[in-house]
Amino acid sequence: MKLILHVWRQKNSSDKGRMVRYDAPNVNEHMSFLEMLDVLNESLIAKGEDPIAFDHDCREGICGMCGFMINGKAHGGFKRTTVCQLHMRHFKDGDELYLEPWRAAAFPVIKDLAVDRGAFDRIIASGGFISVPTGSAPDGNAILVKKQESDLAMDAAACIGCGACVAACPNAAAALFVGAKISHLGHLPQGQPERDRRALAMVQQMRAEGFANCTNIGECEAVCPKDIKLEVIARMNRDYIGASLTERPESTTAGAG
Ligand code: SF4
Ligand code: FES
């Protein structure tokens, strides 16, 4: 099939950027979306042109590196599908596709479709971990975890940090991502000693990075390729408010939830 692509081209974060039209002939329906771009890039390189920059790593839907807007929808808008797992059989001959990077002040464009998601890394570094003393590994069965709690922890741990939730949110809020990380550790007994400190630190860092508050619109849940639920935002708010009352009475809420 033949596609017409309109791709956002931007040299760096200070460049204004613009849409550029490309013809993509001979697109095979078995290609992934990123493979289709690989082929387009090979033709651009052969012509001496600058290839289109886009992020990727695993191409298996697990690393969270890939992601951009296709016709205004994060990852293309297909249920539980990252753009690396999206195949060309979902499109038809003659389709015209508009590819743009995530749009959020906290995710500056590096080049073309690639954005800097270092803000997510800094939020994780602020508290998204469990501190453990060094020494031999503890027996895996030494701390029992209720099935319901382990299921909830695993569901939240499915977040791959792709940033689609931020890109889809009209507020460019990161509440689904931060809520997932807080919930994932907060459902486990090992996560309890640092639960208050974690919620305070991660929400504060989220604000410092320039993400806006959640207003319960729900676009994040709708586009999340890992099916992270809005409940994680409610849990983030509960943990944050609880920690604020005991540790910082003057604090406000993290956002609606
Ligand atoms: S919550 Fe979903 S959309 Fe947001 S970063 Fe995690 S996996 Fe991506
Ligand atoms: S490249 Fe790893 S999730 Fe898409």
Side-chain angles (χ1 to χ4, degrees), residues 75 120 158-166 176-177 180 220 223-228:
H75 289 296
F120 272 11
C159 168
I160 54 174
C162 64
C165 46
V166 174
L176 198 70
F177 165 77
C220 53
V223 301
C224 175
K226 297 299 162 185
D227 221 10
I228 303 295

PDB file of all heavy atoms in Angstrom, residues 75 120 158-166 176-177 180 220 223-228, ligand 1:
ATOM      1  N   HIS A  75       0.352   7.049  20.516  1.00  0.00           N
ATOM      2  CA  HIS A  75       0.635   5.677  20.050  1.00  0.00           C
ATOM      3  C   HIS A  75      -0.319   5.258  18.929  1.00  0.00           C
ATOM      4  O   HIS A  75      -0.428   4.058  18.628  1.00  0.00           O
ATOM      5  CB  HIS A  75       0.514   4.654  21.197  1.00  0.00           C
ATOM      6  CG  HIS A  75       1.606   4.715  22.221  1.00  0.00           C
ATOM      7  ND1 HIS A  75       2.928   4.443  21.946  1.00  0.00           N
ATOM      8  CD2 HIS A  75       1.568   4.995  23.558  1.00  0.00           C
ATOM      9  CE1 HIS A  75       3.644   4.533  23.059  1.00  0.00           C
ATOM     10  NE2 HIS A  75       2.843   4.880  24.050  1.00  0.00           N
ATOM     11  N   PHE A 120      10.632  12.295  33.957  1.00  0.00           N
ATOM     12  CA  PHE A 120      10.158  11.043  34.563  1.00  0.00           C
ATOM     13  C   PHE A 120      11.286  10.392  35.373  1.00  0.00           C
ATOM     14  O   PHE A 120      11.056   9.877  36.463  1.00  0.00           O
ATOM     15  CB  PHE A 120       9.687  10.074  33.476  1.00  0.00           C
ATOM     16  CG  PHE A 120       8.237  10.228  33.071  1.00  0.00           C
ATOM     17  CD1 PHE A 120       7.479  11.320  33.488  1.00  0.00           C
ATOM     18  CD2 PHE A 120       7.625   9.264  32.280  1.00  0.00           C
ATOM     19  CE1 PHE A 120       6.144  11.454  33.115  1.00  0.00           C
ATOM     20  CE2 PHE A 120       6.291   9.392  31.911  1.00  0.00           C
ATOM     21  CZ  PHE A 120       5.550  10.478  32.319  1.00  0.00           C
ATOM     22  N   ALA A 158       3.018  -2.334  35.752  1.00  0.00           N
ATOM     23  CA  ALA A 158       3.033  -2.520  34.289  1.00  0.00           C
ATOM     24  C   ALA A 158       3.367  -1.223  33.552  1.00  0.00           C
ATOM     25  O   ALA A 158       3.718  -1.254  32.369  1.00  0.00           O
ATOM     26  CB  ALA A 158       1.672  -3.037  33.815  1.00  0.00           C
ATOM     27  N   CYS A 159       3.277  -0.088  34.238  1.00  0.00           N
ATOM     28  CA  CYS A 159       3.608   1.202  33.594  1.00  0.00           C
ATOM     29  C   CYS A 159       5.025   1.159  33.045  1.00  0.00           C
ATOM     30  O   CYS A 159       5.961   0.832  33.765  1.00  0.00           O
ATOM     31  CB  CYS A 159       3.467   2.342  34.604  1.00  0.00           C
ATOM     32  SG  CYS A 159       4.182   3.891  34.021  1.00  0.00           S
ATOM     33  N   ILE A 160       5.172   1.508  31.772  1.00  0.00           N
ATOM     34  CA  ILE A 160       6.490   1.468  31.134  1.00  0.00           C
ATOM     35  C   ILE A 160       7.108   2.864  31.003  1.00  0.00           C
ATOM     36  O   ILE A 160       8.161   3.024  30.382  1.00  0.00           O
ATOM     37  CB  ILE A 160       6.421   0.794  29.743  1.00  0.00           C
ATOM     38  CG1 ILE A 160       5.354   1.466  28.852  1.00  0.00           C
ATOM     39  CG2 ILE A 160       6.160  -0.699  29.884  1.00  0.00           C
ATOM     40  CD1 ILE A 160       5.319   0.944  27.414  1.00  0.00           C
ATOM     41  N   GLY A 161       6.428   3.887  31.536  1.00  0.00           N
ATOM     42  CA  GLY A 161       7.010   5.236  31.501  1.00  0.00           C
ATOM     43  C   GLY A 161       7.103   5.842  30.121  1.00  0.00           C
ATOM     44  O   GLY A 161       8.008   6.640  29.842  1.00  0.00           O
ATOM     45  N   CYS A 162       6.163   5.501  29.257  1.00  0.00           N
ATOM     46  CA  CYS A 162       6.244   5.990  27.871  1.00  0.00           C
ATOM     47  C   CYS A 162       5.885   7.470  27.732  1.00  0.00           C
ATOM     48  O   CYS A 162       6.354   8.150  26.824  1.00  0.00           O
ATOM     49  CB  CYS A 162       5.339   5.163  26.970  1.00  0.00           C
ATOM     50  SG  CYS A 162       3.575   5.289  27.367  1.00  0.00           S
ATOM     51  N   GLY A 163       5.023   7.955  28.609  1.00  0.00           N
ATOM     52  CA  GLY A 163       4.646   9.370  28.558  1.00  0.00           C
ATOM     53  C   GLY A 163       3.395   9.672  27.747  1.00  0.00           C
ATOM     54  O   GLY A 163       3.005  10.832  27.617  1.00  0.00           O
ATOM     55  N   ALA A 164       2.735   8.646  27.224  1.00  0.00           N
ATOM     56  CA  ALA A 164       1.513   8.876  26.436  1.00  0.00           C
ATOM     57  C   ALA A 164       0.446   9.568  27.272  1.00  0.00           C
ATOM     58  O   ALA A 164      -0.327  10.385  26.765  1.00  0.00           O
ATOM     59  CB  ALA A 164       0.981   7.545  25.902  1.00  0.00           C
ATOM     60  N   CYS A 165       0.387   9.224  28.559  1.00  0.00           N
ATOM     61  CA  CYS A 165      -0.619   9.821  29.448  1.00  0.00           C
ATOM     62  C   CYS A 165      -0.442  11.328  29.521  1.00  0.00           C
ATOM     63  O   CYS A 165      -1.422  12.085  29.507  1.00  0.00           O
ATOM     64  CB  CYS A 165      -0.532   9.191  30.837  1.00  0.00           C
ATOM     65  SG  CYS A 165       1.141   9.041  31.495  1.00  0.00           S
ATOM     66  N   VAL A 166       0.791  11.781  29.599  1.00  0.00           N
ATOM     67  CA  VAL A 166       1.074  13.221  29.643  1.00  0.00           C
ATOM     68  C   VAL A 166       0.684  13.868  28.310  1.00  0.00           C
ATOM     69  O   VAL A 166       0.048  14.920  28.273  1.00  0.00           O
ATOM     70  CB  VAL A 166       2.573  13.464  29.929  1.00  0.00           C
ATOM     71  CG1 VAL A 166       2.910  14.944  29.829  1.00  0.00           C
ATOM     72  CG2 VAL A 166       2.961  12.907  31.280  1.00  0.00           C
ATOM     73  N   LEU A 176      -1.059   9.967  36.167  1.00  0.00           N
ATOM     74  CA  LEU A 176      -1.217   8.519  35.973  1.00  0.00           C
ATOM     75  C   LEU A 176       0.126   7.813  36.151  1.00  0.00           C
ATOM     76  O   LEU A 176       0.219   6.785  36.814  1.00  0.00           O
ATOM     77  CB  LEU A 176      -1.807   8.212  34.589  1.00  0.00           C
ATOM     78  CG  LEU A 176      -2.410   6.815  34.455  1.00  0.00           C
ATOM     79  CD1 LEU A 176      -3.700   6.674  35.256  1.00  0.00           C
ATOM     80  CD2 LEU A 176      -2.679   6.448  32.998  1.00  0.00           C
ATOM     81  N   PHE A 177       1.160   8.402  35.580  1.00  0.00           N
ATOM     82  CA  PHE A 177       2.503   7.823  35.715  1.00  0.00           C
ATOM     83  C   PHE A 177       2.945   7.813  37.184  1.00  0.00           C
ATOM     84  O   PHE A 177       3.354   6.771  37.712  1.00  0.00           O
ATOM     85  CB  PHE A 177       3.501   8.630  34.864  1.00  0.00           C
ATOM     86  CG  PHE A 177       4.935   8.365  35.174  1.00  0.00           C
ATOM     87  CD1 PHE A 177       5.560   7.209  34.727  1.00  0.00           C
ATOM     88  CD2 PHE A 177       5.677   9.266  35.933  1.00  0.00           C
ATOM     89  CE1 PHE A 177       6.891   6.948  35.024  1.00  0.00           C
ATOM     90  CE2 PHE A 177       7.013   9.022  36.234  1.00  0.00           C
ATOM     91  CZ  PHE A 177       7.619   7.863  35.780  1.00  0.00           C
ATOM     92  N   ALA A 180       0.933   5.473  39.286  1.00  0.00           N
ATOM     93  CA  ALA A 180       1.302   4.070  39.063  1.00  0.00           C
ATOM     94  C   ALA A 180       2.548   3.705  39.867  1.00  0.00           C
ATOM     95  O   ALA A 180       2.616   2.644  40.497  1.00  0.00           O
ATOM     96  CB  ALA A 180       1.541   3.816  37.573  1.00  0.00           C
ATOM     97  N   CYS A 220      -5.722  10.094  29.948  1.00  0.00           N
ATOM     98  CA  CYS A 220      -4.528   9.291  30.238  1.00  0.00           C
ATOM     99  C   CYS A 220      -4.855   7.802  30.245  1.00  0.00           C
ATOM    100  O   CYS A 220      -4.184   6.996  29.598  1.00  0.00           O
ATOM    101  CB  CYS A 220      -3.917   9.720  31.567  1.00  0.00           C
ATOM    102  SG  CYS A 220      -5.098   9.714  32.942  1.00  0.00           S
ATOM    103  N   VAL A 223      -5.570   6.267  26.754  1.00  0.00           N
ATOM    104  CA  VAL A 223      -4.478   6.012  25.799  1.00  0.00           C
ATOM    105  C   VAL A 223      -3.383   5.116  26.360  1.00  0.00           C
ATOM    106  O   VAL A 223      -2.499   4.696  25.612  1.00  0.00           O
ATOM    107  CB  VAL A 223      -3.818   7.330  25.314  1.00  0.00           C
ATOM    108  CG1 VAL A 223      -4.836   8.225  24.648  1.00  0.00           C
ATOM    109  CG2 VAL A 223      -3.100   8.047  26.448  1.00  0.00           C
ATOM    110  N   CYS A 224      -3.435   4.835  27.650  1.00  0.00           N
ATOM    111  CA  CYS A 224      -2.321   4.088  28.256  1.00  0.00           C
ATOM    112  C   CYS A 224      -2.181   2.701  27.629  1.00  0.00           C
ATOM    113  O   CYS A 224      -3.107   1.898  27.668  1.00  0.00           O
ATOM    114  CB  CYS A 224      -2.534   3.945  29.760  1.00  0.00           C
ATOM    115  SG  CYS A 224      -1.268   2.915  30.526  1.00  0.00           S
ATOM    116  N   PRO A 225      -1.032   2.388  27.074  1.00  0.00           N
ATOM    117  CA  PRO A 225      -0.871   1.071  26.445  1.00  0.00           C
ATOM    118  C   PRO A 225      -0.792  -0.065  27.453  1.00  0.00           C
ATOM    119  O   PRO A 225      -0.841  -1.234  27.068  1.00  0.00           O
ATOM    120  CB  PRO A 225       0.453   1.217  25.665  1.00  0.00           C
ATOM    121  CG  PRO A 225       1.208   2.266  26.398  1.00  0.00           C
ATOM    122  CD  PRO A 225       0.180   3.219  26.927  1.00  0.00           C
ATOM    123  N   LYS A 226      -0.661   0.257  28.723  1.00  0.00           N
ATOM    124  CA  LYS A 226      -0.564  -0.784  29.750  1.00  0.00           C
ATOM    125  C   LYS A 226      -1.787  -0.814  30.652  1.00  0.00           C
ATOM    126  O   LYS A 226      -1.773  -1.444  31.711  1.00  0.00           O
ATOM    127  CB  LYS A 226       0.731  -0.588  30.575  1.00  0.00           C
ATOM    128  CG  LYS A 226       1.976  -0.742  29.726  1.00  0.00           C
ATOM    129  CD  LYS A 226       2.063  -2.142  29.118  1.00  0.00           C
ATOM    130  CE  LYS A 226       3.018  -2.206  27.953  1.00  0.00           C
ATOM    131  NZ  LYS A 226       3.028  -3.523  27.276  1.00  0.00           N
ATOM    132  N   ASP A 227      -2.825  -0.101  30.244  1.00  0.00           N
ATOM    133  CA  ASP A 227      -4.116  -0.200  30.937  1.00  0.00           C
ATOM    134  C   ASP A 227      -4.043   0.229  32.403  1.00  0.00           C
ATOM    135  O   ASP A 227      -4.735  -0.339  33.248  1.00  0.00           O
ATOM    136  CB  ASP A 227      -4.635  -1.650  30.847  1.00  0.00           C
ATOM    137  CG  ASP A 227      -6.124  -1.675  30.572  1.00  0.00           C
ATOM    138  OD1 ASP A 227      -6.683  -0.606  30.265  1.00  0.00           O
ATOM    139  OD2 ASP A 227      -6.727  -2.754  30.685  1.00  0.00           O
ATOM    140  N   ILE A 228      -3.198   1.202  32.694  1.00  0.00           N
ATOM    141  CA  ILE A 228      -3.131   1.725  34.063  1.00  0.00           C
ATOM    142  C   ILE A 228      -4.434   2.479  34.343  1.00  0.00           C
ATOM    143  O   ILE A 228      -4.883   3.280  33.529  1.00  0.00           O
ATOM    144  CB  ILE A 228      -1.914   2.664  34.246  1.00  0.00           C
ATOM    145  CG1 ILE A 228      -0.606   1.935  33.898  1.00  0.00           C
ATOM    146  CG2 ILE A 228      -1.882   3.240  35.667  1.00  0.00           C
ATOM    147  CD1 ILE A 228      -0.241   0.785  34.783  1.00  0.00           C
TER     148      ILE A 228
HETATM  149  S1  SF4 B   1       0.781   5.345  32.891  1.00  0.00           S
HETATM  150 FE1  SF4 B   1       0.544   4.341  30.862  1.00  0.00          FE
HETATM  151  S2  SF4 B   1       0.709   6.011  29.370  1.00  0.00           S
HETATM  152 FE2  SF4 B   1       1.538   6.785  31.312  1.00  0.00          FE
HETATM  153  S3  SF4 B   1       3.746   6.414  31.234  1.00  0.00           S
HETATM  154 FE3  SF4 B   1       2.815   4.611  32.261  1.00  0.00          FE
HETATM  155  S4  SF4 B   1       2.437   3.159  30.579  1.00  0.00           S
HETATM  156 FE4  SF4 B   1       2.780   5.154  29.569  1.00  0.00          FE
END
